Amino acid sequence: MTRLSTFIGVIILIFKILCSNVFAGPTFVDEYDVTTHETTPTGIIFNPEGTRMYVTGIDNDRIRQYTLSVAFDVTSTITLERSRWITSVENRPQDIKFNSDGTVIFVLGTENDGVARWSLSTPYDINTLTVADSTYTSVGGDPRGFDFNNDGTKMFILDGSQEQVEEYKLTTPYNPDTKILSKTLSTAKGSSYHQGLGFSPDGLKMYVVKGAKSGSPGNSFNNILEYNLTTSFDIATATLNGTYTTSHSSNEYIAGITFNNDGSKMYHINFNADEIREYTLTCAYGIISCIDQTKDKDTVGNAEAQAELSKKFMQSTSIPVLNRMEWLRRNRNNINLTNQNIKFQFSNTMLNSIKNSFVTPAALNKNNLNDFMPEGWSSWSEGNISIGRTGDTNKSSRKKNNTTGISIGADKKVSKNKLYGIALRFGNDDVDVGNLGNILDMNAYSLTLYGTLPQGKSNFIDSLLGISTFQTDIVSVNGDNKLNGDRDGDQIFGSLKIRKTIKKNQFNFTPTAKLDLGYTLLSEYTEKGSDALKLKFDEQKIKTVITSVGMIFDNSIDIERGVLKPNAHLEYNADISSSSESKFYYAADTSKSYVISNVNNSNHNIRMNLGIDLIKDNGWSFKSNYERNQNETGYSDTLYIGAAYISANDSEYALALDGEKTFVNYTKNINGFDLKFDSNYSLFKEVPDYGANIQISRIFWLNIQRIITRIWILFIMSKRFAFFKSKFFK
């Protein structure tokens, strides 16, 4: 008995597993009868809002415009709003489409075997159609269905006689007159009545409608063929995924195909019964199976961008800290250990217009942090603004990245070459993925502890350890639908840099070796929006390992009342991070998972830096650096410009250049009061553009700022420590 129970239990378990993985196909809802208006309907489409339905047919040779009381619901109240004769242009219309904004309507016909089109002065309103203004383009064959890609640069024709789909390039979008035949795809043979063609908005699925055999209505064919495309709107990559057979009537002859705006509903025509049929779908545009989003370049680009942002923020946090320790070592004999820098980063294509792209707050240029620093500590800051681009790949859409950030730090010199410090960074990254409006907006915060330890007179070890937290707002676009998601992330990272300085007269040669390590945990999240479209993403772990070797060259040149220190840095970076996987599901069908692999691919990078420091005896210091980062996919350029002044009479001065503007900041202490003056002035604009600000404050308020800053640091540290304790010390 026990064995029998076990056996039955196993059978039940297997049955549940099998059933859970069975894809639920279209579910028939209802139909709408158009017999009183059209006895041989052939084509159907909706406006994007689903409040209007358009039907064409070969009996009365008209376009009919209906209004729906409930969007995309054929069971709601449907009213014939308008019909337009098109017999002067086409007597046997087969299919109907709009351009992307509804200002042009197209009708495919077999009378002249071509595509007719009319302009609409009011989008999606055939009341504004003028038949006299029609244009006709012959396509030949026996055209039974057609469609366009999203931007109208491709047109697809279903040739019924040849039983094939033809792909045309349009040199002018949505203008069939400019067509060039580029590819053909043979469809399933055996029926002379192919009668409908359509695509999903991402171009990864294509649908071909096969009606019944000539003179044989019923279930002889009445099939919808679903094709999967590995490349969007490229029929050369199409493979037949499966066939769905309709069987709701013995008088069956199907034609036409369309979907609602999120793909959760499908519609086709029953040619013989004069009906518009409505179905619900488990997931968007899934007749045979859900769309494989791992083949969607925007989805892949989105996943890649999330991994890249976590790695980029780790590096954006580490580099300013390492730069600080390098600057201190180069200028270790200088009594002024405070430096305030502004960093500009831009792709080379933007070099000529960079001055029009950046606006850096004047606050980044202030040299006033030492006013509330504990005794023996020095302050520093570094801000950065960057623009970067990555082109399309075979798997991923292009990306455009805009980054802003500021690092604020303080350190204490323990001995001539030994110090330790702490730094905070606040950063924002905006990434545009593809051309449809996919956006990632990440806000990140980090806390870093760092120090440098001398190993003899010329050998040094620079190290840092940091934690970060960030939140990313994600917008994914699918057709006319926007889906939103919020994803949290936590990160721990460290960097170890070994350097040995070799002196040769006035020259210093410093070989370096660096190791960057990071671990990032991205939380699970589910998109908000259309139930048929939204995806659920699992938790994702990203491990980062970057090794670097390089050489620093610097020289010290004595000049009148100061010293000039040119420097250069050449570094090779090898990203040897292991691949990370992004795993997700359709929220409506979690039985099948999708995995995007290699979203954290390794790469190789060369970094070159040329700079010069000018340290004057009178308290002035200047810093200027140019940096180029080059890898196999592109490059970026970085420019650092900064100046500072500290005098012996409790006054401070800072100057910085920001594109076409200069910023001047002056602080002076007078009997316990701080007098602060900030100003900016445009260098090149013909129209005056300048501003100024004067502030007077007591040291009391600076002490309050110091207390608040320390509380904030302790809060961040306690929060992150609790997180990492839960993850690593369970």
Side-chain angles (χ1 to χ4, degrees):
M1 189 69 177
T2 303
R3 290 183 179 179
L4 179 61
S5 301
T6 303
F7 178 76
I8 294 174
V10 171
I11 295 297
I12 294 174
L13 179 61
I14 293 174
F15 178 78
K16 287 182 177 180
I17 293 173
L18 291 175
C19 290
S20 67
N21 289 302
V22 172
F23 176 78
T27 301
F28 176 70
V29 177
D30 210 337
E31 67 258 336
Y32 174 71
D33 195 323
V34 296
T35 304
T36 57
H37 308 136
E38 177 61 66
T39 57
T40 50
T42 52
I44 178 177
I45 198 169
F46 294 86
N47 68 337
E49 294 76 26
T51 56
R52 281 174 171 167
M53 177 176 69
Y54 310 84
V55 177
T56 190
I58 60 177
D59 183 50
N60 292 309
D61 308 320
R62 292 173 179 260
I63 303 172
R64 288 180 169 82
Q65 178 175 299
Y66 298 85
T67 60
L68 287 73
S69 60
V70 179
F72 295 109
D73 187 356
V74 303
T75 68
S76 66
T77 301
I78 299 179
T79 305
L80 178 62
E81 184 179 3
R82 177 77 174 180
S83 69
R84 299 301 302 264
W85 288 95
I86 59 172
T87 52
S88 62
V89 182
E90 178 57 64
N91 290 325
R92 295 185 63 82
Q94 302 291 331
D95 204 354
I96 184 172
K97 293 291 188 295
F98 287 96
N99 68 340
S100 58
D101 61 5
T103 57
V104 180
I105 188 170
F106 302 85
V107 173
L108 180 78
T110 54
E111 178 71 20
N112 299 306
D113 298 330
V115 180
R117 64 186 187 276
W118 300 265
S119 295
L120 306 177
S121 56
T122 301
Y124 300 102
D125 187 1
I126 67 170
N127 288 316
T128 63
L129 178 153
T130 303
V131 176
D133 294 336
S134 65
T135 304
Y136 205 91
T137 303
S138 176
V139 296
D142 182 32
R144 297 286 179 152
F146 79 122
D147 207 350
F148 298 94
N149 67 341
N150 292 325
D151 60 5
T153 57
K154 287 185 178 182
M155 180 177 68
F156 304 87
I157 301 292
L158 176 63
D159 189 328
S161 63
Q162 298 296 321
E163 299 181 359
Q164 65 182 20
V165 179
E166 298 161 356
E167 179 181 317
Y168 294 86
K169 293 181 179 179
L170 304 182
T171 55
T172 301
Y174 293 106
N175 186 350
D177 290 340
T178 64
K179 70 182 189 304
I180 302 172
L181 180 63
S182 59
K183 299 168 187 175
T184 61
L185 174 70
S186 295
T187 61
K189 304 292 184 180
S191 173
S192 61
Y193 289 99
H194 286 59
Q195 198 61 53
L197 178 70
F199 286 83
S200 61
D202 57 11
L204 295 177
K205 283 189 181 291
M206 180 180 71
Y207 312 90
V208 175
V209 176
K210 293 177 59 182
K213 288 183 178 179
S214 179
S216 305
N219 297 326
S220 300
F221 281 99
N222 290 313
N223 295 331
I224 300 175
L225 311 179
E226 180 181 280
Y227 292 82
N228 290 335
L229 285 71
T230 56
T231 301
S232 179
F233 293 106
D234 183 357
I235 65 173
T237 67
T239 56
L240 181 62
N241 187 40
T243 301
Y244 174 74
T245 302
T246 63
S247 59
H248 305 292
S249 168
S250 60
N251 192 27
E252 194 99 349
Y253 193 122
I254 66 173
I257 188 169
T258 193
F259 300 86
N260 67 340
N261 61 347
D262 66 358
S264 61
K265 292 183 177 183
M266 177 187 72
Y267 309 83
H268 72 75
I269 290 170
N270 182 3
F271 188 96
N272 276 349
D274 311 321
E275 299 167 340
I276 309 298
R277 292 209 174 139
E278 177 183 321
Y279 302 76
T280 58
L281 304 177
T282 302
C283 56
Y285 306 97
I287 299 177
I288 305 302
S289 66
C290 299
I291 294 175
D292 185 357
Q293 291 292 335
T294 63
K295 304 297 189 269
D296 184 86
K297 296 177 69 172
D298 283 357
T299 301
V300 175
N302 191 316
E304 289 180 347
Q306 293 183 55
E308 291 166 359
L309 283 181
S310 64
K311 183 186 301 184
K312 183 177 180 180
F313 186 75
M314 183 188 84
Q315 294 178 304
S316 298
T317 303
S318 300
I319 289 176
V321 173
L322 294 172
N323 285 346
R324 166 64 175 174
M325 289 185 282
E326 184 178 319
W327 186 89
L328 287 172
R329 197 151 28 246
R330 228 176 19 248
N331 301 282
R332 54 183 176 270
N333 296 322
N334 178 33
I335 60 171
N336 174 20
L337 298 181
T338 294
N339 73 308
Q340 318 293 334
N341 305 308
I342 304 299
K343 174 183 177 183
F344 307 94
Q345 183 174 330
F346 44 87
S347 51
N348 197 58
T349 57
M350 303 291 293
L351 202 57
N352 293 329
S353 60
I354 194 67
K355 64 179 183 296
N356 301 318
S357 304
F358 295 155
V359 178
T360 303
L364 299 184
N365 306 302
K366 294 179 181 180
N367 187 23
N368 57 16
L369 293 175
N370 280 342
D371 291 344
F372 57 92
M373 294 303 301
E375 184 178 356
W377 287 72
S378 299
S379 68
W380 62 275
S381 66
E382 184 169 295
N384 77 281
I385 302 174
S386 68
I387 297 176
R389 296 177 184 268
T390 304
D392 281 327
T393 67
N394 293 331
K395 297 173 47 182
S396 172
S397 296
R398 63 93 180 162
K399 306 179 193 70
K400 180 181 178 182
N401 187 292
N402 296 308
T403 302
T404 58
I406 181 172
S407 298
I408 303 172
D411 42 50
K412 183 174 183 179
K413 195 173 182 182
V414 180
S415 62
K416 185 176 181 180
N417 294 317
K418 185 178 180 180
L419 75 125
Y420 57 85
I422 185 171
L424 288 171
R425 177 174 171 82
F426 311 90
N428 174 264
D429 284 86
D430 288 317
V431 184
D432 296 331
V433 180
N435 301 308
L436 301 179
N438 293 272
I439 301 171
L440 284 79
D441 184 5
M442 186 184 80
N443 291 306
Y445 313 90
S446 69
L447 173 68
T448 306
L449 304 176
Y450 63 91
T452 182
L453 183 66
Q455 304 293 306
K457 294 183 178 181
S458 59
N459 301 333
F460 300 90
I461 298 177
D462 296 336
S463 60
L464 60 90
L465 180 66
I467 52 177
S468 304
T469 183
F470 42 85
Q471 183 182 64
T472 307
D473 297 326
I474 306 166
V475 177
S476 300
V477 178
N478 193 312
D480 297 323
N481 298 273
K482 286 188 177 181
L483 300 118
N484 299 281
D486 300 317
R487 193 173 205 180
D488 296 328
D490 295 285
Q491 183 181 80
I492 185 170
F493 60 92
S495 183
L496 185 67
K497 188 173 185 178
I498 303 173
R499 44 196 297 140
K500 177 180 177 64
T501 301
I502 303 170
K503 293 184 176 292
K504 186 70 174 180
N505 298 326
Q506 295 294 319
F507 290 92
N508 293 323
F509 303 91
T510 307
T512 65
K514 181 162 66 79
L515 176 65
D516 296 303
L517 301 173
Y519 176 84
T520 304
L521 181 65
L522 301 180
S523 67
E524 64 178 22
Y525 78 100
T526 301
E527 294 176 329
K528 303 177 182 67
S530 165
D531 290 338
L533 290 169
K534 65 184 183 182
L535 303 174
K536 179 181 179 181
F537 289 79
D538 278 353
E539 186 179 79
Q540 183 179 353
K541 300 175 182 177
I542 303 171
K543 300 176 182 178
T544 302
V545 181
I546 302 174
T547 60
S548 308
V549 292
M551 178 70 73
I552 300 174
F553 309 89
D554 66 88
N555 186 23
S556 182
I557 304 173
D558 292 329
I559 60 175
E560 186 178 357
R561 298 182 179 179
V563 60
L564 190 67
K565 297 184 177 182
N567 56 89
H569 191 182
L570 179 64
E571 185 177 80
Y572 167 75
N573 301 308
D575 187 343
I576 56 175
S577 306
S578 59
S579 175
S580 177
E581 292 185 342
S582 178
K583 186 176 182 180
F584 58 91
Y585 317 78
Y586 279 96
D589 181 21
T590 58
S591 63
K592 180 175 175 55
S593 63
Y594 301 87
V595 178
I596 300 175
S597 302
N598 301 317
V599 295
N600 191 34
N601 275 334
S602 61
N603 59 65
H604 303 273
N605 182 79
I606 295 178
R607 183 166 70 99
M608 297 164 285
N609 187 296
L610 295 174
I612 189 168
D613 297 342
L614 176 61
I615 311 298
K616 298 288 291 183
D617 296 340
N618 58 7
W620 280 95
S621 64
F622 298 91
K623 175 184 174 73
S624 179
N625 284 82
Y626 168 78
E627 183 177 285
R628 156 77 54 110
N629 281 273
Q630 184 83 46
N631 57 40
E632 57 264 39
T633 60
Y635 56 85
S636 66
D637 296 289
T638 305
L639 180 65
Y640 304 81
I641 301 177
Y645 174 74
I646 295 182
S647 70
N649 58 357
D650 296 324
S651 62
E652 303 173 0
Y653 177 84
L655 169 70
L657 303 179
D658 178 12
E660 63 184 16
K661 290 185 178 182
T662 60
F663 292 91
V664 177
N665 305 281
Y666 177 80
T667 302
K668 185 176 180 63
N669 184 273
I670 304 176
N671 297 326
F673 287 86
D674 281 329
L675 175 66
K676 301 179 181 180
F677 173 78
D678 306 321
S679 69
N680 63 274
Y681 183 77
S682 176
L683 294 174
F684 306 108
K685 284 188 176 180
E686 295 181 2
V687 179
D689 183 8
Y690 55 85
N693 177 60
I694 298 177
Q695 179 182 345
I696 301 176
S697 62
R698 289 187 64 92
I699 193 68
F700 169 77
W701 298 110
L702 296 176
N703 288 329
I704 294 295
Q705 294 179 36
R706 178 172 62 184
I707 294 171
I708 294 173
T709 300
R710 289 176 174 175
I711 292 174
W712 171 249
I713 292 172
L714 290 173
F715 171 75
I716 293 291
M717 290 180 66
S718 62
K719 181 180 178 182
R720 295 299 95 198
F721 176 77
F723 165 77
F724 288 110
K725 181 180 179 181
S726 65
K727 293 295 180 182
F728 299 105
F729 302 101
K730 292 183 178 180

